[in-house]
């Protein structure tokens, strides 16, 4: 079992920055792909970014590409999401998730999720 705990959310003005953290316990994250998702008010949860175990490959949604950066520190069992140039449409609850990594050609489900952290961007 992997327990994920997000932190770093808060209220920020348009154009500001926040850095989210996702601390894991229970198992080492080094064999998991990590992802960040968000649920905007009144919308379904949506993919934001992901990173492979070795940090060799990252992927972003078009809406955050160029503004957000996902990273991880396997030694500290922690993942991060640096969010710059924030916009009101970035408002939502941000979730960290982990999926077993079986290689680049095998898709696996995110089966461990954190409780989420609220990000609010004021205009």
């Amino acid at each position: 079992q992997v327990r994920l705990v997000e932190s770093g959310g808060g209220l920020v003005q348009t154009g500001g920055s926040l850095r989210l953290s996702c601390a894991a316990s229970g198992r080492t994250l080094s064999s998991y792909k990590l992802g960040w998702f968000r649920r905007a008010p009144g919308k379904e949860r949506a993919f934001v970014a992901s990173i492979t175990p070795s940090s060799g490959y990252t992927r972003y949604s078009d809406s955050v590409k160029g503004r957000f950066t996902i990273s991880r520190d396997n030694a500290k069992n922690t993942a991060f999401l640096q969010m710059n140039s924030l916009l009101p449409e970035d408002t939502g609850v941000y979730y960290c998730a982990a999926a077993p990594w079986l290689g680049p050609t095998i898709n696996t489900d995110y089966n461990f999720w954190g409780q989420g952290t609220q990000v609010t961007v004021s205009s």
Side-chain angles (χ1 to χ4, degrees):
Q1 192 76 7
V2 177
R3 181 169 180 259
L4 303 173
V5 179
E6 303 93 337
S7 61
L11 173 65
V12 64
Q13 290 186 331
T14 295
S17 297
L18 284 173
R19 190 190 194 209
L20 305 184
S21 297
C22 172
S25 60
R27 288 185 186 174
T28 177
L29 289 182
S30 59
S31 59
Y32 289 84
K33 177 177 69 174
L34 299 178
W36 285 96
F37 295 76
R38 70 185 178 196
R39 188 191 304 274
K43 295 186 178 180
E44 298 285 320
R45 186 170 59 196
F47 170 80
V48 173
S50 65
I51 186 168
T52 54
S54 63
S55 301
Y57 184 73
T58 56
R59 189 167 69 93
Y60 298 91
S61 68
D62 288 343
S63 62
V64 308
K65 202 171 294 183
R67 300 187 297 121
F68 290 12
T69 303
I70 188 172
S71 61
R72 62 192 294 165
D73 185 337
N74 288 337
K76 295 183 178 179
N77 238 21
T78 304
F80 306 96
L81 186 68
Q82 178 67 43
M83 306 187 295
N84 298 330
S85 303
L86 282 162
L87 303 169
E89 48 264 46
D90 294 319
T91 293
V93 180
Y94 282 71
Y95 299 90
C96 173
W101 178 249
L102 301 177
T105 61
I106 300 175
N107 191 35
T108 54
D109 294 333
Y110 288 94
N111 50 9
F112 298 108
W113 293 83
Q115 83 291 345
T117 185
Q118 176 71 45
V119 171
T120 303
V121 184
S122 64
S123 56

